[in-house]
Amino acid sequence: MKKKGAEILIECLEREGVDIVWGIPGGQAIPIFDALFDSKKIKLVLTRHEQGAAHMADGYARATGKIGVCVATSGPGATNLVTGLATAYMDSIPMIAITAQVPTKLIGNDAFQEADVVGITRPITKHNYLVKDVKELARTVREAFHIATTGRKGPVLIDLPSDVAKTETEFEWPDKIVMKNYSPNYKGNPSQIKKAAEEISNSKKPFIYAGGGILSSGASKELKAFAEKTGAPVGLTMLGLGCFPGTHSQFVGMLGMHGTRASNLAMNESDLIVAVGARFDDRVTGNLAHFAKKAKIIHIDIDPSSISKSVKADIPIVGDAKSVLPELTKQVLQRKHSEWWAKIGEWQKSFPLLYSRKGALKPQYVIEQIYEMTKGKAIIVTEVGQHQMWAAQFYKYDAPRTFISSGGLGTMGFGLPASIGSQFGKPNSLVFDISGDGSIQMNIQELIIAVEHKLPIKIVILNNGYLGMVRQWQQLFWKKRYSGVDLSIQPDFVKLAEAYGAVGMRVTKEEEVKEALEKAIKITDRPTLIDFKVAPEENVLPMVPAGAAITEAIDYKDVELA
Amino acid sequence: MKHTISVLVENKPGVLARVVGLFSGRGFNIESLTVGETEDVCVSRMTIVVGGDDMILEQVSKQLNKLVDIIKVIDMTEKQFINRELALIKVAVNSGNRGEVIQVVNIFRGKVVDISSKTFTVEVTGSDDKINALIEILLPFGIKEMVRTGAVAINREWQKEETKKNK
C-alpha cells in the first residue's frame, strides 16, 4: 500500500512499540503531526519547550528501560533539543529524536527555520540521519532503533525534510536489518574471563566498581550474585546508584568527588579493581597520578573505547555485563575477606556521612525524611547541584532505575521534565523531583504538563537562595568571592505552583517537614511543589577538591564543625 | 609518534565530517588526509597521517571503529607498508641554473611538467622523507608555490614474521 513519508514514520514507530512521544510542532513538522493525529497507539504529549520534550523522553527511558522518543520542528525546534540530546548521549540513554527539516531543494539555502541539524548533533548523538529519499525511511527508522538500543546505548536523530514527509511510496517494513559495520560484542572473550576469575580468586583486597552500564544491561541480579560470591566491597558511580542495593552489607557507598570516604579509600587501597559498566570518569578517579597505584584492573564494558581510556586495564573484557558476570561468578572462588572488611569497617567508622542539625533547616534532613517516608521505594529524580549530591548521599537506593539524574553532562533543568517522563512511564510509582532554587527555574514551564496530565509528581526545592554548588566552590577555593551566585531575588514558588494549578507548600522548620511530605504524598491528581527554605551556606561534604587525589577529601568536620 | 591510519568507510555524504570531527573534537591536528574510492565503489579509503601520544591514538582508533559508517580502521604503522605522496613544486629558475635544477629533479626521479621563462613546475612522488629532501635542495633556488597531496598508503603483501605474530 502507498503511504506518505510521515505516515510511514508513524507506522514504523508503532511497530517498534512506541506508545508515547513528546514534542512541539512547527511549520515543517506539520506533516509528521498530521500523521500522529491518526495514530491510535501513540499518545502525543505537547510540551512547552523542546528541551522539556527531550528530557521527558530521557526520563521515561531511564525509569522504564524502554526507548524514549521526542519530535521537534526544523531550525529552533531542533536546536532546542541539543542540550537534551547531549545529556542522553553522555549517560548512554536510548532515545530517538525526530526533527523536521526544510524541503530538500531548500537545504543549504538559509531557508526560514533552517539549521544543519545533522551537523550540529553529530558529536552528541550515537548516530544521525538525514533522510532524502522516502524509500529509505522505513529502513532508516529500523536502523535508528537498533543502534539506539544495542551496544552502548544512546540517542539517534532522524532529520526528515518536509517534502520527503509528504511524498508517497510503497510501504515495506524491513523484517530484518543487516548492518555489516555495526555489531556490538555481547559475549566476553572466554580466556580473558578465565584470567579475570583467577585474579579475583587470588586477590586479597578486591573492589567492585560498578556504574550505569549495569542498569542499561539489566544486570543487577547478576552483579549481586557476583559480589556475594567474591565477598568484595561494592562502590557505585552516581549513575550506578540502585544497580546494587544501597542497604546491602557489601555496599560501601558512592564513589568519587562527593562519595563516601570508605568507598574511595577502599578502591584506592585495593589490590584488584573489577570495573563493570563504568568508565573511570575524572569525578570518580580524582588525580590519575595518584589513583589506585597498587591495584590490577579488570575492566568489563560493552564499549571497547571506554576501556583503557584514562586508566589502563590489565585484563580488558569487551562484553555485556549480563553475559560476562554470570560466567565470572561461575569461575571465582567463594571468599569472605574478613581482614579486608575489618580495615573497611574502620574507615566506615572513622568517616561516616555527617551533618549537623543545629541552626536552620538542613537539606540533608529533608532527604533523610523523604527516605523514611517512602521507605526507599520512590523514584528520585534530581536536577544538578548540591541537592543532587545530597539526594545521592542521604537516600538509599535498593532497586534499579530509582535514581535518575544527569551525570555526565550535569544538566540543570533536567529534573522536572525527567520526573514527568518517569511518571508517564511508571504511573503507579511515587516520583520525586529533588531540586534547587536555581535548577527548577531552568525548565519550570514544563510544570503545566504535569498539571495537564494529572501527574502527582512531588517537586522538592531545597531552597538556599544560591547557585549552591558554585557558591560552595567559591567559599572553599575562591576566597568566598560569591560572584554570580545570588538567587535571593526569586519568585514565590508556592504562588508559582498555584498559578500553574499545582499544590504549593512552604516549609521552614524541621517540625514541619514530615507533615508537608505526608500531605504531598496523599495528593494523587496533580503535582505538588514544596519550597523548603534551608540553611543558605550548607556544603556538600566530603569533597575531593578538583585535581586532588581521591583519598584527599575535605570532611564535614573540617569545614562545618571546625 | 607519527601514525598512518587507513580507514575504510562507506562512500556516502557526511562520513568525512564524522571522521574529522573525532580528531578535531580532541584537539588533534591532522597532518594530512586523503580520500578516494577503492576497488568497491561503495567503499572509500581515507589515509590519515597524525601525530600524538600512542594511548590517545589508540583511543581515537577505537572511537573511529565505533562510528556506524566505518568499515575498518588499520593503523598502518604497526605493519610494513608502502607510503607515497605526490608534490607539485613551482621553483624559480633563470638561464644560469636551469640545467642544475633539471639534474636535481632527475636524481629524485621527478619530472618537469610545466615551464615558463622564470619557473619550472616539478612533479615528484615518493615518501614524505624523499619529498622533504627534494624541497630542501630546491629551496635555495626559490620555491614560488607548492602543493602536496598527503600520503596514501597500502600494506605490503609480504610481512616480516615477527610483525605477523604481533597481529
Side-chain angles (χ1 to χ4, degrees), chain A residues 52-369:
Chain A
H55 291 324
M56 285 180 207
D58 180 324
Y60 173 87
R62 292 186 204 231
T64 61
K66 292 193 272 186
I67 190 166
V69 182
C70 57
V71 191
T73 193
S74 65
T79 54
N80 277 347
L81 290 179
V82 164
T83 304
L85 287 168
T87 304
Y89 183 65
M90 284 289 266
D91 291 347
S92 311
I93 305 303
M95 245 171 79
I96 297 285
I98 293 156
T99 49
Q101 181 55 277
V102 300
T104 40
K105 64 174 191 306
L106 287 180
I107 291 179
N109 231 330
D110 293 340
F112 176 64
Q113 293 196 328
E114 183 192 356
D116 172 12
V117 172
V118 167
I120 291 168
T121 60
R122 196 175 286 127
I124 51 165
T125 51
K126 188 171 172 189
H127 196 55
N128 60 17
Y129 295 92
L130 170 65
V131 184
K132 288 170 94 173
D133 180 353
V134 71
K135 293 193 188 72
E136 297 281 302
L137 183 57
R139 188 182 52 80
T140 302
V141 177
R142 283 225 78 180
E143 277 187 16
F145 274 81
H146 179 64
I147 292 169
T149 53
T150 53
R152 179 171 177 180
K153 296 168 187 175
V156 177
L157 179 138
I158 302 169
D159 201 23
L160 185 64
S162 61
D163 58 326
V164 178
K166 287 188 271 192
T167 307
E168 284 197 345
T169 190
E170 206 60 45
F171 173 60
E172 255 178 86
W173 174 248
D175 280 326
K176 257 201 196 150
I177 15 162
V178 189
M179 297 187 65
K180 60 178 184 205
N181 307 324
Y182 176 81
S183 56
N185 192 26
Y186 279 75
K187 283 218 171 322
N189 178 318
S191 72
Q192 291 291 89
I193 292 176
K194 186 157 171 270
K195 254 202 269 177
E198 279 164 16
E199 286 289 347
I200 296 165
S201 299
N202 292 332
S203 159
K204 297 269 182 295
K205 296 190 272 184
F207 186 87
I208 298 169
Y209 157 40
I214 298 290
L215 295 171
S216 65
S217 161
S220 293
K221 270 193 202 131
E222 289 77 3
L223 175 67
K224 188 159 170 265
F226 171 71
E228 285 174 351
K229 191 160 177 202
T230 57
V234 180
L236 297 179
T237 66
M238 188 187 78
L239 281 185
L241 291 175
C243 79
F244 186 79
T247 51
H248 196 286
S249 64
Q250 279 171 259
F251 180 59
V252 290
M254 182 171 76
L255 288 157
M257 183 174 267
H258 295 297
T260 62
R261 301 277 324 258
S263 201
N264 284 329
L265 287 165
M267 174 140 94
N268 221 52
E269 276 300 305
S270 74
D271 61 8
L272 178 72
I273 295 173
V274 185
V276 205
R279 58 188 176 92
F280 292 93
D281 169 74
D282 57 286
R283 282 291 185 268
V284 161
T285 61
N287 189 331
L288 279 174
H290 304 285
F291 177 72
K293 285 288 149 211
K294 295 161 226 167
K296 281 200 175 170
I297 309 243
I298 297 170
H299 196 167
I300 304 161
D301 205 290
I302 198 152
D303 173 13
S305 71
S306 278
I307 297 178
S308 296
K309 183 167 70 177
S310 48
V311 174
K312 185 130 187 67
D314 298 289
I315 306 179
I317 301 176
V318 178
D320 183 16
K322 202 176 177 66
S323 145
V324 174
L325 285 175
E327 287 300 316
L328 275 175
T329 309
K330 245 187 266 168
Q331 295 179 35
V332 294
L333 299 175
Q334 182 104 34
R335 291 274 192 252
K336 287 247 182 304
H337 294 297
S338 336
E339 251 177 69
W340 179 217
W341 274 107
K343 182 84 197 149
I344 294 166
E346 279 171 34
W347 288 322
Q348 286 173 317
K349 224 165 149 192
S350 315
F351 308 110
L353 277 177
L354 278 182
Y355 73 94
S356 160
R357 281 168 63 183
K358 274 198 208 117
L361 175 62
K362 290 299 173 71
Q364 300 96 324
Y365 178 80
V366 177
I367 305 282
E368 280 186 337
Q369 289 304 302

